[in-house]
């Protein structure tokens, strides 16, 4: 009994001490916590005396927010881009930053993109994923500080900047230094995306402690979206290179054009991008091929398609594969109540995408919530009524997309595809897949309707594709001679074996 009473008293004492410690930590005002961080970094007066900060280094960035892997499986290897010759300039006096770097894909890509140095202007929340501008912004007189809390032992201060964005600053309770900054941004495929950028390896630079490692993670599949190694910091640099002008806002209204290809089949394409695909008429509805790019483009194509045949509306959408450019309009299509047809292996990721909230940046699905209606394709799905037959097939042998479909209208002999080929690609790393699928399913196409580019006769399509394969082989040979071994080389072409 005495032992039991002693253990009970000990447990009660521990609980009291825990509550006291927890309340004490919570009782520290948010401003005090941020001021402690400024003091730890070198002192608030020192930080406010910095006009600009220039960092250089190298990094790696996730491609398409992780939505371009070979398969939609959460364990599939993601694709990324390396950034070299990287520089980031924070113009703290004028509330802006610019990122400059050269990016190269770590995977074979269809377009020859020399790693030219590009510049991206950043303002507002976009420039606060670094502790120096974040701490200064949190202590700005126009910023509204929220309550402090703890998260995994780290003090977290919520703050809302003048432009309206709310962020969260994590502060180490021992060193007082910033541990992370968290923000919410929009994604056409995933709704609201929460990104947490962690800061590691603080070292002194001109009497200011700054991190030499930055790593960002997303709240989707816990993916790492950015890794950056700093190899220099400079403060108060004179004669900064001019900043790029702000980018003009994209047009809110996107326009599409419809071209009749055959009886009951149209090509409906967004004017500004040459991206789109077929719309097929059935007895009582229309079926659209692909929801490419984003909400605006998808609505432009749906709205135009709905005018093609009086009394008939788009009710079905065929999505070729999960890549986030090709499924960029998925949430928009679901908001319109469309039934989605795709490879069975894509159902899981599509449900993930549709289920995500978009509260901070509401999209069409947030404004009009609808459930995902999904029709799976295994090997072959036939869509047929008294007016039209459309065959939807599993894509085989395409090493760019493992869970993909294409469609074929047998009567007009129209082949509908995404990422098989495009007339203006420089290279084709998967060129054999087109004819491999034609042969496998015993098809006889006359016309090719791609998602990218333009409609072309079948013979022209194959001739262009084969030239792109030869271009890829020549590119690899040239690189090998120079002692460079790019991803995708040597180019593989399955038709060489026949």
């Amino acid at each position: 009994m005495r032992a039991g009473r002693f253990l009970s008293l000990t447990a009660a004492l521990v609980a009291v001490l825990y509550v006291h410690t927890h309340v004490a930590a919570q009782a520290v005002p948010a401003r005090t916590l941020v001021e402690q961080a400024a003091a730890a970094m070198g002192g608030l007066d020192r930080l406010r005396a910095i006009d600009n900060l220039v960092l250089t280094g190298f990094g790696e960035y996730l491609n398409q927010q992780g939505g371009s892997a070979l398969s939609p499986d959460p364990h599939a290897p993601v694709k990324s881009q390396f950034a070299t010759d990287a520089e980031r300039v924070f113009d703290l006096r004028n509330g802006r930053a610019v990122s400059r770097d050269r990016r190269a894909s770590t995977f074979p890509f269809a377009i020859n993109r020399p790693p030219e140095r590009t510049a991206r202007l950043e303002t507002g929340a976009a420039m606060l994923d670094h502790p120096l501008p974040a701490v200064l912004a949190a202590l700005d007189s126009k910023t509204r500080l929220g309550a402090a809390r703890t998260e995994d032992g780290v003090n977290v201060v919520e703050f809302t900047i003048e432009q309206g964005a709310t962020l969260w600053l994590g502060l180490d309770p021992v060193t007082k230094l910033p541990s992370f900054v968290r923000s919410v941004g929009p994604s056409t495929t995933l709704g609201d995306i929460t990104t947490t950028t962690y800061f590691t390896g603080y070292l002194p630079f001109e009497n200011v402690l700054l991190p030499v490692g930055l790593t960002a993670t997303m709240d989707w599949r816990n993916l790492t979206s950015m890794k950056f190694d700093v190899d220099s910091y400079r403060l108060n640099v004179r004669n900064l290179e001019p900043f790029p002008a702000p980018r003009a806002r994209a047009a809110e209204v996107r326009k599409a054009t419809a071209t009749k290809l055959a009886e009951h089949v149209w090509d409906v394409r967004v004017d500004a991008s040459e991206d789109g695909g077929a719309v097929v008429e059935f007895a009582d509805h229309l079926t659209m091929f692909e929801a490419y790019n984003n909400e605006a483009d998808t609505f432009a194509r749906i709205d135009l398609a709905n005018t093609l045949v009086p009394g008939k509306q788009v009710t079905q959408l065929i999505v070729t594969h999960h890549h986030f450019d090709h499924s960029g309009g998925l949430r928009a299509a679901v908001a319109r109540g469309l039934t989605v047809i795709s490879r069975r292996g894509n159902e899981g990721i599509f449900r993930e995408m549709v289920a995500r909230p978009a509260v901070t940046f509401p999209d069409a699905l947030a404004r009009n919530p609808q459930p995902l209606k999904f029709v799976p394709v295994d090997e072959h799905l036939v869509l047929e009524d008294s007016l039209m037959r459309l065959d939807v097939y599993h894509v085989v042998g395409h090493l760019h997309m493992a869970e993909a479909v294409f469609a074929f209208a047998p009567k007009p002999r129209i082949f509908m595809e995404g990422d098989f080929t495009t007339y203006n690609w420089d290279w084709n790393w998967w060129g054999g897949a087109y004819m491999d699928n034609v042969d496998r399913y015993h098809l006889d196409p006359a016309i090719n309707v791609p998602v990218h580019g333009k409609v072309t006769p079948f013979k022209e399509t194959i001739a262009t594709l084969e030239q792109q394969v030869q271009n890829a082989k020549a590119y690899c040979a040239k690189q090998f001679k120079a002692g460079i071994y790019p991803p995708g080389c040597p180019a593989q072409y399955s038709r060489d074996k026949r």
Side-chain angles (χ1 to χ4, degrees):
M1 289 294 291
R2 290 181 178 178
R5 184 179 300 172
F6 175 77
L7 290 173
S8 298
L9 289 171
T10 301
L13 180 60
V14 169
V16 168
L17 288 173
Y18 170 80
V19 171
H20 175 76
T21 303
H22 184 70
V23 171
Q26 292 291 80
V28 179
R31 178 166 294 277
T32 300
L33 290 172
V34 183
E35 288 174 345
Q36 289 174 349
M41 292 177 67
L44 183 55
D45 290 342
R46 175 69 180 110
L47 301 189
R48 284 177 170 166
I50 301 172
D51 291 331
N52 63 68
L53 173 72
V54 179
L55 66 84
T56 63
F58 52 93
E60 184 177 0
Y61 293 84
L62 189 64
N63 191 61
Q64 288 189 9
Q65 295 179 319
S68 64
L70 177 62
S71 91
D73 191 290
H75 301 292
V78 295
K79 295 176 180 175
S80 61
Q81 294 180 316
F82 281 134
T84 56
D85 190 18
E87 174 188 71
R88 197 171 184 195
V89 181
F90 295 93
D91 180 2
L92 301 171
R93 284 287 172 263
N94 295 298
R96 60 182 183 168
V98 61
S99 291
R100 301 184 180 97
D101 57 31
R102 303 176 190 273
R103 296 196 183 184
S105 298
T106 61
F107 53 93
F109 193 63
I111 300 174
N112 184 8
R113 289 179 175 170
E116 296 178 354
R117 203 169 194 233
T118 59
R120 293 167 297 281
L121 183 68
E122 301 156 342
T123 58
M127 65 171 289
L128 300 183
D129 57 348
H130 187 280
L132 179 57
V135 166
L136 290 174
L139 292 174
D140 188 273
S141 61
K142 297 177 182 178
T143 294
R144 185 174 71 254
L145 288 177
R149 59 181 175 83
T150 58
E151 177 184 314
D152 297 328
V154 174
N155 296 319
V156 179
V157 174
E158 178 182 297
F159 64 102
T160 303
I161 59 176
E162 182 183 10
Q163 294 90 333
T166 296
L167 301 93
W168 295 263
L169 179 62
L171 303 165
D172 188 292
V174 177
T175 66
K176 312 303 182 184
L177 292 168
S179 297
F180 65 78
V181 166
R182 181 173 296 144
S183 62
V184 179
S187 168
T188 188
T189 50
L190 298 172
D192 288 346
I193 281 285
T194 300
T195 300
T196 304
T197 304
Y198 295 92
F199 314 124
T200 54
Y202 278 86
L203 292 174
F205 296 87
E206 300 181 39
N207 298 319
V208 178
L209 286 179
L210 298 169
V212 294
L214 296 92
T215 303
T217 62
M218 301 163 47
D219 70 338
W220 182 65
R221 295 186 170 182
N222 197 35
L223 291 172
T224 298
S225 55
M226 180 272 291
K227 295 184 287 188
F228 195 90
D229 289 77
V230 177
D231 57 26
S232 79
Y233 276 110
R234 291 175 293 154
L235 282 63
N236 293 329
V237 177
R238 296 183 179 181
N239 301 319
L240 291 174
E241 184 178 340
F243 276 53
R247 292 180 60 182
R249 290 189 63 183
E252 296 292 334
V253 178
R254 302 280 277 180
K255 295 183 179 180
T257 298
T259 304
K260 191 166 186 177
L261 303 177
E263 285 300 311
H264 315 301
V265 183
W266 295 262
D267 178 57
V268 180
R269 205 160 290 275
V270 176
D271 295 347
S273 65
E274 287 193 334
D275 296 317
V279 171
V280 181
E281 179 190 3
F282 288 84
D284 62 356
H285 70 279
L286 302 173
T287 297
M288 190 171 86
F289 193 85
E290 208 75 303
Y292 187 79
N293 196 25
N294 57 29
E295 178 178 294
D297 284 12
T298 298
F299 282 164
R301 293 183 62 227
I302 292 173
D303 291 344
L304 180 57
N306 286 340
T307 70
L308 296 175
V309 183
K312 295 184 183 180
Q313 302 284 292
V314 176
T315 63
Q316 293 178 323
L317 170 71
I318 297 171
V319 181
T320 59
H321 58 295
H322 80 281
H323 288 174
F324 280 3
D325 53 341
H326 288 260
S327 60
L330 176 70
R331 289 174 60 94
V334 172
R336 289 284 183 94
L338 273 58
T339 296
V340 176
I341 300 168
S342 191
R343 177 76 174 154
R344 185 182 296 276
N346 292 324
E347 181 176 2
I349 193 171
F350 286 175
R351 292 200 180 279
E352 284 183 67
M353 293 161 65
V354 169
R356 288 183 60 87
V359 176
T360 306
F361 298 93
D363 60 5
L365 187 59
R367 292 187 291 268
N368 184 38
Q370 298 289 328
L372 173 64
K373 295 178 287 186
F374 187 83
V375 175
V377 179
D378 292 311
E379 181 79 359
H380 179 201
L381 175 70
V382 178
L383 304 176
E384 186 173 22
D385 62 14
S386 60
L387 189 67
M388 173 61 68
R389 173 180 173 127
L390 187 66
D391 294 280
V392 185
Y393 295 102
H394 173 215
V395 174
V396 296
H398 201 307
L399 277 299
H400 174 66
M401 47 187 187
E403 300 288 351
V405 299
F406 71 93
F408 183 71
K411 188 174 181 180
R413 298 166 55 205
I414 295 177
F415 193 102
M416 307 168 194
E417 51 88 1
D419 281 357
F420 273 79
T421 187
T422 296
Y423 78 98
N424 59 355
W425 279 359
D426 297 301
W427 307 309
N428 197 318
W429 304 98
W430 321 281
Y434 197 118
M435 285 305 302
D436 288 349
N437 281 275
V438 167
D439 290 348
R440 177 184 179 89
Y441 297 113
H442 309 291
L443 307 179
D444 182 24
I447 299 172
N448 186 67
V449 184
V451 171
H452 304 296
K454 64 182 181 180
V455 177
T456 53
F458 174 69
K459 289 185 179 179
E460 180 183 330
T461 301
I462 298 306
T464 300
L465 183 154
E466 290 181 341
Q467 182 59 59
Q468 292 166 350
V469 171
Q470 295 309 312
N471 292 347
K473 290 182 176 180
Y475 165 77
C476 290
K478 181 179 179 180
Q479 296 300 303
F480 284 2
K481 276 190 174 181
I484 302 170
Y485 302 90
C489 291
Q492 306 296 317
Y493 187 42
S494 61
R495 310 302 289 184
D496 284 340
K497 303 172 185 177
R498 306 189 180 203

